[in-house]
Amino acid sequence: GTIADRVDKRKLLMISQTGSAISALFMALLIITGSVEFWHLVVVSVVTGTFMSFNMPARQAIVPQLVPRHKMMNAISLQQAGMNVTRILGPALAGLLIAPLGVGGVYMMTFVLFVVAIATELHLPKHGMKEDRPAKKFREDFVEGFRYIHQHPLIAKLMILGLVFPLFAFPLQQMLPVFAEDVFNQGPSGLGLLGVATGVGGLTGALLAARLHSFPRKGRLMLAGGLWMGTLFVVFTQTSAFIPALIMLGLGNIGGMVFQTTNQTVIQTQLPAAVRGRVMSVTMMSFGLTPLGVLPVSIAADKFGAQTAVLGSSIALVATVFLFFMVSKQLRRLNIAQLSEAELSPAQA
């Protein structure tokens, strides 16, 4: 995040995605030639994760530079929606493609898609991609990001809420194979349908959140989305029939996507450009924290069953969201109006 605020964001995006593309190509060749070993997966995972840790803060910080300020909330909503939807759809789509293409073929497709992404970034403007500000030591810039969060309680609350939410919300996604096999007795086809329901719900919620960019009562929108998701996930865990469970899963993900997209959009719109990369890099930690929420749920599933384990995490999700908003009047009354109209984006200006 500190580097994203110091360098040309366009170049940083292209360099980091080139690194990820090479990593995907390396894995594809190892798998296709039958040379892959477990340690290769570990190393490539670390390398790819490192490249993405540079890529994502720059990607967050670049969008407000590319659109006029009165369209910023809609643009950020669409960006967050896209990130959150692919977070759900990506693994499901890869799973579907493994049968016809093979694992090596899926990695090769990932490489091609990275190349396409790099090609599109060639069209980004070359101006306005780096903040014009006094030079500071790296350590000072690094500390300044945390200091900004500490000095702005609303940003801190939104970020904590955004980091805690996935811990309780996303273990269900990882437990879907267990539900498909042991709860609904549907096997691989059932898992595919559960993945489709998750994706359709996420996509619907993403589009809904983008449409609601001009709705000012963002606090109420987040509260409604979080409670909606948690409540429907509770119903999902108590549903034994497969089709009703699919419906509950899809509807629940609509609320979750509205919550996440609104949370990230509010944070983005409240940040000055000079610290956006650093602050947003902290919110991106939710991608790393999500797997941590799966471990206790998996242990509980072994002991008490998947339904009971996910029921517990879903109740915890409802309780956490409710308590956050009951304790914080600032969150309950959060009202963000659309910014005044501007002819040019910052980069164009």
Side-chain angles (χ1 to χ4, degrees):
T2 304
I3 291 173
D5 283 336
R6 292 168 68 98
V7 304
D8 186 315
K9 296 174 181 62
R10 176 178 178 268
K11 291 180 180 177
L12 183 57
L13 283 177
M14 295 177 69
I15 292 170
S16 59
Q17 288 198 293
T18 299
S20 296
I22 293 172
S23 298
L25 178 61
F26 178 69
M27 277 305 306
L29 295 175
L30 284 176
I31 294 169
I32 291 170
T33 59
S35 305
V36 67
E37 297 183 21
F38 180 73
W39 71 267
H40 293 140
L41 292 168
V42 175
V43 172
V44 170
S45 295
V46 172
V47 170
T48 304
T50 302
F51 278 124
M52 292 311 293
S53 72
F54 286 95
N55 181 278
M56 294 176 72
R59 185 172 299 281
Q60 298 288 310
I62 204 171
V63 172
Q65 299 299 110
L66 299 175
V67 296
R69 61 174 177 259
H70 66 287
K71 295 183 179 180
M72 186 166 73
M73 290 185 69
N74 183 259
I76 293 172
S77 294
L78 287 171
Q79 181 206 32
Q80 294 299 329
M83 288 180 60
N84 289 322
V85 167
T86 53
R87 191 176 184 177
I88 295 172
L89 282 181
L93 184 60
L96 292 173
L97 291 173
I98 283 174
L101 299 180
V103 177
V106 172
Y107 269 102
M108 190 63 75
M109 179 175 283
T110 302
F111 165 72
V112 172
L113 291 173
F114 271 123
V115 173
V116 171
I118 296 164
T120 64
E121 286 159 2
L122 290 170
H123 297 282
L124 290 172
K126 295 181 180 179
H127 299 286
M129 297 293 101
K130 182 178 178 181
E131 291 303 317
D132 185 16
R133 60 194 181 91
K136 294 182 181 180
K137 292 182 178 179
F138 185 90
R139 180 180 175 277
E140 292 176 357
D141 272 346
F142 183 83
V143 173
E144 186 181 33
F146 290 102
R147 185 183 296 121
Y148 182 90
I149 296 170
H150 177 72
Q151 292 173 348
H152 294 78
L154 175 61
I155 297 294
K157 290 173 186 175
L158 288 167
M159 292 179 72
I160 293 170
L161 187 56
L163 290 172
V164 169
F165 184 84
L167 290 177
F168 301 121
F170 280 94
L172 174 57
Q173 316 296 339
Q174 306 300 320
M175 297 294 291
L176 288 181
V178 182
F179 275 89
E181 186 70 31
D182 298 339
V183 178
F184 301 120
N185 300 311
Q186 295 292 322
S189 61
L191 177 59
L193 289 173
L194 288 170
V196 168
T198 301
V200 169
L203 180 59
T204 304
L207 295 174
L208 178 61
R211 290 284 296 174
L212 291 171
H213 71 277
S214 58
F215 181 74
R217 304 302 295 268
K218 302 299 185 186
R220 292 186 179 183
L221 201 56
M222 278 188 284
L223 176 61
L227 294 180
W228 175 270
M229 182 185 208
T231 302
L232 285 172
F233 278 7
V234 167
V235 176
F236 170 83
T237 64
Q238 301 306 298
T239 304
S240 56
F242 186 59
I243 299 301
L246 284 177
I247 296 171
M248 292 301 105
L249 183 62
L251 291 175
N253 275 286
I254 293 176
M257 199 61 65
V258 168
F259 174 92
Q260 283 190 293
T261 301
T262 304
N263 176 273
Q264 296 293 304
T265 301
V266 172
I267 294 173
Q268 276 266 51
T269 55
Q270 300 303 296
L271 294 176
V275 298
R276 185 172 278 117
R278 280 165 286 176
V279 175
M280 292 309 297
S281 69
V282 179
T283 70
M284 292 296 98
M285 288 169 61
S286 66
F287 284 80
L289 288 173
T290 299
L292 298 181
V294 178
L295 182 60
V297 174
S298 301
I299 294 171
D302 281 337
K303 192 168 186 179
F304 306 109
Q307 287 174 291
T308 302
V310 176
L311 173 64
S313 70
S314 300
I315 292 173
L317 172 62
V318 172
T320 300
V321 172
F322 182 78
L323 287 173
F324 257 92
F325 281 88
M326 289 306 100
V327 169
S328 175
K329 186 185 294 184
Q330 194 175 21
L331 287 177
R332 290 198 306 275
R333 296 183 177 180
L334 182 60
N335 195 318
I336 307 293
Q338 189 164 304
L339 300 173
S340 58
E341 189 166 341
E343 290 185 17
L344 300 174
S345 71
Q348 290 171 323

